[in-house]
Amino acid sequence: MTDPPDHADPGPAALAWGWRPVVLPPGPPPGATLALAAHGRRATLVAARPDGGPVEPVVFDGEGAAHRSAPLPLVSVSGAAGGPHGVVVAGAAPGDGSPRACELDPATGEAAATDLPVGDAPLAVWPVPVAADPVRVVWATGRAPSTLWCGTLTAGGLILARADVDAPVWTVQPVAAPGGVDVLCQTPAGGLVVRFGDAAAAEPALPAFPSGATLSPGAVLAARGAGHLDAWETATAAHHDLVLPAPAGEGPTAVAAPRVVPALGLLVWETQFPDTAGFAGDEAGIRTLAGRGWAALLDRERWRIGPAAELPVAPLAMTVLDGALVVAARSGVWIGRAEPVA
């Protein structure tokens, strides 16, 4: 079903944010990838190093006090997630570059490494951890067909489940779901949801989603023109048409990376706009894109969005720490707390 807008309904309230920067300790600048996850009352930022050296986590609390932790047996980062016993970071192992997941001890910072099997097929997608109890890790091998792997990290070892996808898998976006894990796979045919777990067979079949769709807990989101956002509930397959609030002072923009933050009742997204003209003499008129990050309250019963508030950055990674939203980009990390505006 599609929900028509109700102009008589004012929708969720506006938010007033207070932001605190995290003072990062000296060290190498982040490389091409970074990830962020929380466990208890501390968050962990991990980033690849441009020089290919070992990944050095930065741990900080809700006040922004940060310190570097012990280096991990990883030389790249493909994801991080909080689990019941600590943060799990995935990436490439030193030496042969094989996929690996590391569970960090929150008291010592030491990492227990689990190597992830790929078999004879080439690795197609690097592993992405899923915040759950127990933690899962999802990765893909092969080309067409591809094999999607879901590994459960337990005290007794790695428990594997697999599913075949009759297409090349370019990226995976896994989230915890009731009884298991939902995974949105980006393929040449668009976005396909694959389910793992006991409840998977009972869930409704979901359609193929547009390229660039994103998966959040309970919903698939896809931006379309004129400030609209399509949302599909993964539990029911119901469709909703959301109208994004227009940020003040922006002309035509493209919307990207919409995400739901259930713990805070937020919708977070990015607007992209031309930043600078292409190089001199570039007849194609190629332009680079700059991004701005936004957040608004989301009412998931009526699927209405409140007024937008700008974030300090367009986040490459984010998490929830002790009731606060943490956003990270290569330019820095910020901790934000919000109150509804009466």
Side-chain angles (χ1 to χ4, degrees):
M1 75 176 185
T2 299
D3 298 330
D6 181 358
H7 298 290
D9 184 351
L15 292 175
W17 287 88
W19 292 97
R20 177 194 300 271
V22 176
V23 180
L24 299 176
T33 58
L34 57 82
L36 188 64
H39 171 75
R41 307 194 72 170
R42 297 192 298 179
T44 299
L45 173 73
V46 286
R49 287 174 47 166
D51 61 6
V55 173
E56 297 181 347
V58 173
V59 180
F60 57 93
D61 60 21
E63 299 302 314
H67 67 274
R68 289 195 178 272
S69 187
L72 304 181
L74 297 172
V75 292
S76 73
V77 172
S78 53
H85 307 298
V87 168
V88 174
V89 182
D96 63 359
S98 58
R100 171 177 286 178
C102 295
E103 187 171 23
L104 281 61
D105 186 311
T108 66
E110 296 180 355
T114 300
D115 292 324
L116 306 174
V118 296
D120 296 329
L123 183 68
V125 179
W126 285 94
V128 180
V130 185
D133 185 4
V135 172
R136 276 88 164 185
V137 184
V138 174
W139 68 100
T141 58
R143 295 291 182 260
S146 300
T147 300
L148 193 64
W149 297 91
C150 180
T152 303
L153 301 178
T154 72
L158 186 68
I159 300 175
L160 290 175
R162 57 177 289 173
D164 293 328
V165 180
D166 193 21
V169 174
W170 294 335
T171 65
V172 296
Q173 300 174 50
V175 299
V181 174
D182 287 346
V183 186
L184 178 63
C185 304
Q186 295 290 348
T187 76
L192 306 176
V193 171
V194 177
R195 290 180 154 128
F196 292 95
D198 297 338
E203 296 290 342
L206 295 172
F209 298 102
S211 296
T214 58
L215 177 64
S216 293
V220 177
L221 306 173
R224 55 186 174 90
H228 284 252
L229 192 68
D230 286 316
W232 292 266
E233 296 182 68
T234 53
T236 64
H239 170 256
H240 307 277
D241 176 19
L242 305 181
V243 180
L244 289 171
E250 278 203 346
T253 60
V255 175
R259 288 160 282 182
V260 176
V261 186
L264 301 179
L266 293 176
L267 177 70
V268 174
W269 70 98
E270 180 180 339
T271 54
Q272 298 176 337
F273 51 92
D275 184 21
T276 59
F279 294 105
D282 180 5
E283 297 180 358
I286 297 174
R287 295 175 179 269
T288 60
L289 291 178
R292 298 170 70 183
W294 305 91
L297 285 174
L298 172 64
D299 179 349
R300 290 182 64 172
E301 298 218 349
R302 297 177 299 164
W303 288 93
R304 298 292 309 281
I305 306 172
E310 187 168 5
L311 303 176
V313 292
L316 295 177
M318 62 185 182
T319 192
V320 175
L321 173 62
D322 198 21
L325 180 67
V326 184
V327 295
R330 280 185 280 275
S331 57
V333 182
W334 287 263
I335 302 172
R337 296 187 182 274
E339 295 289 342
V341 176

